Amino acid sequence: MDINDEIQKSIDILNKGGLLLYPTDTVWGIGCDATNEEAVKKVYKLKRREDSKALICLVSDTRMLQRYVYDVPEVAYDIIEYSTRPTTIIYDKPINMAKNLIAKDDTVGIRVASDEFCQKLIRKFKRPLVSTSANLSGTPTPKSFREIGSEILKGVDYVVNLQLEKSNSQPSSIIKISNDAVVKIIRK
C-alpha cells in the first residue's frame, strides 16, 4: 500500500464526482468533493439521510478554511490550535461550497484534518472533502473498517486501501462559533 498511489486513485474518483470510503482522523468516512452538488447528493442518497441534516467537511489547513468561510472568527484559530482531539467547528456564511452542503441557517461544519492521509489528499485535491461517518443514517457509527456495512462498501466508487485500525474511533467534537464569537458546544 503506497499512500501516494492511494491519493492519486482517490483524486481520480473525486474529479469524476465519485464517492470515497476513506480513513479520517476520527472514523472511516464517506467523502466527495465538497464543491460538487451532484456528488453531495450521492452521499445523502447512499446514507439515506435527509438533505436537511448537514454534513461535515474537511480542509487541509487554516489557509484552505479561509477560502470557504466568509469570515473566520479569531477564536476559531485558538480552538483549532489547542484542541486535544479532532474538533469540527460550525461556521456562519460558508462560501464556494456546494449549495446542498450548506445548512438552512447558512452554516457549515468544517474540521481541519489532522490525519496525514487526509491532509495530503486534500492538499493535492485543492478542495475540501465531505466527511460523514460510513454508516446508514440512524445506525451506529462503525468503530472499525470491519464494522462497515456491505451497502456502504458497494455504494462508494472507491475504498481507500489503507485499512488502518483507527486509534481514535469516535466522531469529532462539534462546536458552533457565530460571527459575534459566541461559542456553543454541540457534541463533546
Side-chain angles (χ1 to χ4, degrees), residues 16-30:
K16 295 175 187 170
L19 303 185
L20 293 179
L21 181 61
Y22 67 110
T24 74
D25 48 357
T26 57
V27 297
W28 276 83
I30 300 169

Side-chain angles (χ1 to χ4, degrees), residues 36 51 69 71 87-89 91 104 126-127:
N36 181 328
D51 61 6
V69 175
D71 183 27
T87 302
T88 300
I89 300 175
Y91 297 94
K104 293 188 185 340
K126 297 184 176 137
R127 291 188 293 278

Side-chain angles (χ1 to χ4, degrees), residues 101-158:
L101 193 58
I102 299 169
K104 293 188 185 340
D105 64 351
D106 197 27
T107 61
V108 70
I110 302 176
R111 183 168 73 250
V112 175
S114 58
D115 173 83
E116 178 189 11
F117 171 76
C118 289
Q119 284 182 337
K120 287 181 176 182
L121 171 60
I122 296 165
R123 257 190 213 112
K124 191 161 183 185
F125 185 54
K126 297 184 176 137
R127 291 188 293 278
L129 295 184
V130 164
S131 181
T132 182
S133 57
N135 59 307
L136 299 177
S137 190
T139 65
T141 300
K143 301 252 186 260
S144 70
F145 182 81
R146 291 184 304 277
E147 293 180 17
I148 298 171
S150 62
E151 190 168 344
I152 298 295
L153 291 168
K154 292 175 187 170
V156 297
D157 299 296
Y158 186 67

